[in-house]
Amino acid sequence: MQRIVRGIAFGFTLLLTGLTLFMVLAYLLWPIYSRWGATDREVSMPVPGDDLYPNPSIVSTRAITIQAPAAQVWPWLVQMGGSGRGGLYSYDWLENLFGCNMHSVDRIVPELQNLKLGDEISLHPAAPGMPVLAITPGEALSLGGKEMMVWSFYVEPIDEQTSRLIIRSRYNVPKNAGGFIGTRLFLAPIHFIMEERMMRGIRSRAEALQA
């Protein structure tokens, strides 16, 4: 019995140590991963959707260069989502461990290309979808809600064969609440891990289509 108790105590200590280390790294590395891939200009410039919540408590801006025109990047964005949509092009296996029903496709699905204002993007079957708050076809898409966060996607043409995908997240979390600490040190770094994979997933798909 003592061996079992010691094993449980050791496991709990190990878990607590790992969680603490994760949060410390999340705090120290925030200046890096909050702007992964983005230039100074992209971090400071306005992105469509910023006006939906002008005074966020937490902001991240991330970007990636895609060797494909904006017109070939956009279709992957409008078909995003779970429960029969195109997936999030991230770690499906990890999302599905939590029942997200996410299955990222490797093709453009014509029937999912008519996204419009007010439509909802499902992230989990048991949770409310993220509504489309703003959309400019071929250019910009903003999801979420002003009471929690705004998740904006902007495709910027560089030339006829190259574009930049810029993703900005604006969190509405009171700075004096425990929720701010949880978001800043736990939710935000997890969001980065999934979003970074999403950006690479969109890039590989768009470039394969271009090739």
Side-chain angles (χ1 to χ4, degrees):
M1 176 62 85
Q2 287 183 336
R3 183 176 300 176
I4 294 175
V5 172
R6 285 198 300 268
I8 293 174
F10 176 76
F12 179 77
T13 301
L14 192 63
L15 178 63
L16 185 61
T17 301
L19 182 60
T20 301
L21 180 60
F22 178 85
M23 296 179 74
V24 169
L25 288 174
Y27 176 79
L28 294 176
L29 297 178
W30 171 255
I32 298 174
Y33 70 80
S34 65
R35 53 170 298 168
W36 180 88
T39 65
D40 291 340
R41 180 189 69 86
E42 290 165 340
V43 169
S44 61
M45 76 180 194
V47 168
D50 284 357
D51 58 319
L52 296 171
Y53 188 70
N55 298 301
S57 52
I58 302 173
V59 181
S60 68
T61 303
R62 302 181 181 115
I64 193 169
T65 299
I66 301 178
Q67 300 300 324
Q72 290 189 12
V73 177
W74 179 254
W76 301 100
L77 297 178
V78 295
Q79 67 181 30
M80 290 189 305
S83 300
R85 295 189 62 81
L88 291 181
Y89 321 115
S90 188
Y91 299 106
D92 287 3
W93 64 271
L94 183 55
E95 292 163 332
N96 291 333
L97 282 178
F98 297 92
C100 292
N101 192 23
M102 205 68 65
H103 304 283
S104 298
V105 301
D106 294 320
R107 64 185 182 89
I108 301 299
V109 184
E111 56 267 31
L112 298 178
Q113 294 301 305
N114 298 315
L115 194 68
K116 60 185 184 299
L117 197 67
D119 287 349
E120 292 191 351
I121 302 299
S122 172
L123 299 183
H124 194 287
M130 297 188 78
V132 176
L133 302 178
I135 184 168
T136 303
E139 180 181 324
L141 170 66
S142 293
L143 308 173
K146 289 186 286 186
E147 72 280 0
M148 52 178 182
M149 71 172 291
V150 175
W151 198 18
S152 297
F153 301 78
Y154 176 54
V155 187
E156 183 179 47
I158 302 302
D159 54 41
E160 293 184 355
Q161 302 298 323
T162 311
S163 56
R164 289 279 282 175
L165 173 60
I166 301 168
I167 304 181
R168 178 164 294 164
S169 300
R170 298 167 71 84
Y171 294 89
N172 176 16
V173 185
K175 292 186 177 180
N176 59 351
F180 175 81
I181 296 175
T183 300
R184 177 72 164 69
L185 300 183
F186 190 72
L187 178 61
I190 292 175
H191 184 183
F192 161 67
I193 292 170
M194 303 305 290
E195 188 172 274
E196 186 271 341
R197 181 67 184 92
M198 167 199 275
M199 297 177 81
R200 290 190 291 111
I202 293 173
R203 179 180 64 183
S204 64
R205 287 167 170 82
E207 290 183 349
L209 184 64
Q210 173 70 355

